[in-house]
Amino acid sequence: MRHIKLWFAGEAGNWDLATYEIDELGEGFDDIVTLHPTHKDSPVAPKDAIPRMVTQPLADLRAAASHRDRAAFEAAYDGFTAACNNCHQAMNFGFNRVQRPTTNPYSNQVFSPPSR
């Protein structure tokens, strides 16, 4: 959900919403590391994989959003998506692959920034 909403926020240039979704993703990863540090089916512990594989791509997304740079955002989003897929693969969950969304399942949310 956050991955999808982040894409549409960035594409709409709603950098406040994009930053919010990035923060929410970060909190989710923090929760996984703290509350689910290992997984019975994974040869790599989430507590080890997430900091090593996801922290920098998430920071790159945060930087792109803070600079309000759509091209940098798109590149960082693709890098983050690749990191997610690589992490899933490392933890034996390679069947769970994410990509740029092609349609918006959240028809009740406005992604464009509010007028000021």
Side-chain angles (χ1 to χ4, degrees):
M1 170 183 91
R2 301 273 177 224
H3 186 260
I4 292 171
K5 288 184 172 195
L6 174 58
W7 174 255
F8 287 110
E11 284 300 284
N14 189 340
W15 302 114
D16 291 336
L17 179 57
T19 299
Y20 171 80
E21 295 299 344
I22 292 165
D23 288 345
E24 291 295 304
L25 281 162
E27 289 176 10
F29 288 123
D30 290 345
D31 287 348
I32 292 168
V33 168
T34 301
L35 302 173
H36 305 284
T38 61
H39 191 283
K40 64 180 174 63
D41 295 328
S42 178
V44 177
K47 70 177 179 58
D48 298 326
I50 288 172
R52 188 174 68 241
M53 301 176 85
V54 178
T55 300
Q56 187 58 53
L58 200 58
D60 295 343
L61 269 169
R62 187 171 282 109
S66 72
H67 290 107
R68 301 173 177 261
D69 183 333
R70 179 171 286 146
F73 171 81
E74 289 178 357
Y77 186 90
D78 290 341
F80 175 69
T81 300
C84 290
N85 288 327
N86 290 338
C87 192
H88 293 167
Q89 188 70 36
M91 292 195 295
N92 282 348
F93 295 104
F95 54 84
N96 184 4
R97 294 180 299 152
V98 293
Q99 66 181 14
R100 281 186 183 184
T102 57
T103 58
N104 181 356
Y106 297 100
S107 60
N108 66 328
Q109 183 165 1
V110 177
F111 287 93
S112 58
S115 336
R116 295 188 184 208

